[in-house]
């Protein structure tokens, strides 16, 4: 989270440098931005203006931009931000969290507007009144959302390291061929990625960048305890190589 104009400006400059590097090195990549990194903690107007600046840079380099979803206190503002920007920049997507009870309705509305969606499980601690608390409930909601995306959406991302959900996505893709990609963290489930590529699927490796990479990585690991074991296994395999 960035709260001062100087830290926000530094964040934007970092993203612009990444975008420039993509163009220079001909990298097929995307950037993923949290609204509080670029001004939402100040006000919505500042955040919108800074996203417009990033999108201007991204459009010149044909770089896709993902708007990350944060804790539930920012959900409405983030979706409003997405709608405001998507009308002007098509290569823009938004993350939606399966642990929130409202998310299936949000997905349906976004799909009706042609939105591009990344479905994640969600890693923020939320109140049981608004969020599913058990793994079973979250997985069931994730699967229901995924079914809606395959049936009705045009372009989306499946962001999970869960083998059962990945297998469900593979099966759904046979029935509903759509433009989508699997999104996984660099270093987690690396043994799975080559097999998915061989099957013809697109894989995006997510790489935390910058000085605040640690809190993000901890949330991703805490999201599913097995991720810690998977990451440790990847380190061991890399060391053997």
């Amino acid at each position: 989270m960035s709260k001062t104009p100087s830290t926000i400006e530094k964040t934007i400059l970092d993203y612009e440098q990444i975008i420039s590097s993509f163009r220079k090195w001909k990298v097929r990549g995307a950037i993923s931005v949290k609204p509080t990194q670029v001004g939402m903690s100040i006000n919505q107007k500042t955040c919108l203006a800074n996203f417009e600046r990033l999108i201007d840079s991204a459009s010149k380099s044909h770089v896709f931009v993902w708007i990350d979803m944060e804790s539930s206190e920012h959900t409405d503002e983030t979706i409003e931000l997405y709608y405001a920007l998507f009308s002007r920049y098509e290569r823009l997507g938004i993350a939606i969290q399966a642990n929130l009870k409202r998310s299936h309705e949000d997905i349906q509305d976004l799909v009706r507007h042609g939105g591009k969606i990344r479905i994640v499980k969600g890693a923020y601690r939320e109140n049981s009144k608004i969020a599913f608390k058990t793994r079973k409930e979250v997985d069931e909601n994730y699967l229901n959302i995924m079914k809606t995306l395959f049936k009705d959406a045009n372009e989306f991302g499946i962001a999970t390291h869960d083998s059962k959900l990945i297998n469900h996505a593979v099966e759904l893709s046979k029935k509903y061929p759509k433009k989508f990609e699997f999104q996984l963290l660099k270093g987690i489930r690396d043994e799975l990625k080559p097999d998915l590529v061989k099957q013809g699927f697109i894989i995006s490796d997510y790489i935390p960048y910058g000085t605040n990479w640690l809190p993000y990585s901890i949330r991703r690991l805490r999201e599913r305890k097995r991720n810690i074991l998977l990451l440790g296994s990847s380190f061991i395999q890399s060391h053997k190589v």
Side-chain angles (χ1 to χ4, degrees), residues 29-202:
I31 60 171
S32 189
V33 186
K34 295 183 182 302
T36 60
Q37 287 181 290
V38 293
M40 186 171 280
S41 52
I42 297 177
N43 57 57
Q44 186 84 337
K45 183 178 179 181
T46 298
C47 186
L48 177 61
N50 287 326
F51 255 108
E52 287 174 333
R53 176 177 161 185
L54 281 177
I55 284 172
D56 182 60
S57 295
S59 63
K60 294 173 183 176
S61 299
H62 306 289
V63 170
F64 197 95
V65 178
W66 286 103
I67 299 179
D68 267 342
M69 188 62 71
E70 301 175 80
S71 59
S72 58
E73 64 183 297
H74 300 298
T75 302
D76 285 327
E77 289 177 302
T78 303
I79 292 175
E80 289 172 10
L81 178 72
Y82 179 71
Y83 281 133
L85 293 166
F86 183 60
S87 62
R88 285 170 274 171
Y89 185 58
E90 187 179 347
R91 291 180 59 74
L92 183 72
I94 184 171
I96 296 293
Q97 299 166 327
N99 67 326
L100 295 182
K101 295 177 180 179
R102 61 175 286 172
S103 289
H104 198 268
E105 186 175 339
D106 288 335
I107 287 280
Q108 290 175 318
D109 191 53
L110 285 161
V111 167
R112 280 195 295 270
H113 286 82
K116 296 174 175 61
I117 300 157
R118 174 210 297 163
I119 178 65
V120 301
K121 286 195 177 184
Y124 293 88
R125 297 186 185 278
E126 302 288 359
N127 190 294
S128 60
K129 292 181 180 180
I130 63 170
F132 299 112
K133 301 308 267 184
T134 69
R135 177 181 169 183
K136 182 174 182 291
E137 289 175 318
V138 174
D139 287 356
E140 286 177 351
N141 199 42
Y142 195 111
L143 180 57
N144 287 334
I145 289 172
M146 197 160 60
K147 287 177 179 176
T148 297
L149 291 176
F150 273 101
K151 289 179 182 177
D152 302 323
N154 296 315
E155 188 174 351
F156 51 93
I158 303 297
T160 182
H161 305 106
D162 190 320
S163 292
K164 289 183 179 179
L165 291 173
I166 290 172
N167 290 337
H168 276 301
V170 170
E171 291 305 311
L172 284 167
S173 71
K174 296 175 183 177
K175 186 175 181 181
Y176 305 102
K178 292 292 177 70
K179 183 180 180 181
F180 79 100
E181 63 182 30
F182 288 108
Q183 300 175 349
L184 301 96
L185 272 176
K186 183 72 172 176
I188 299 183
R189 303 311 309 269
D190 283 351
E191 82 289 349
L192 181 65
K193 297 168 188 175
D195 181 58
L196 289 171
V197 171
K198 286 180 182 177
Q199 294 181 59
F201 297 109
I202 297 172

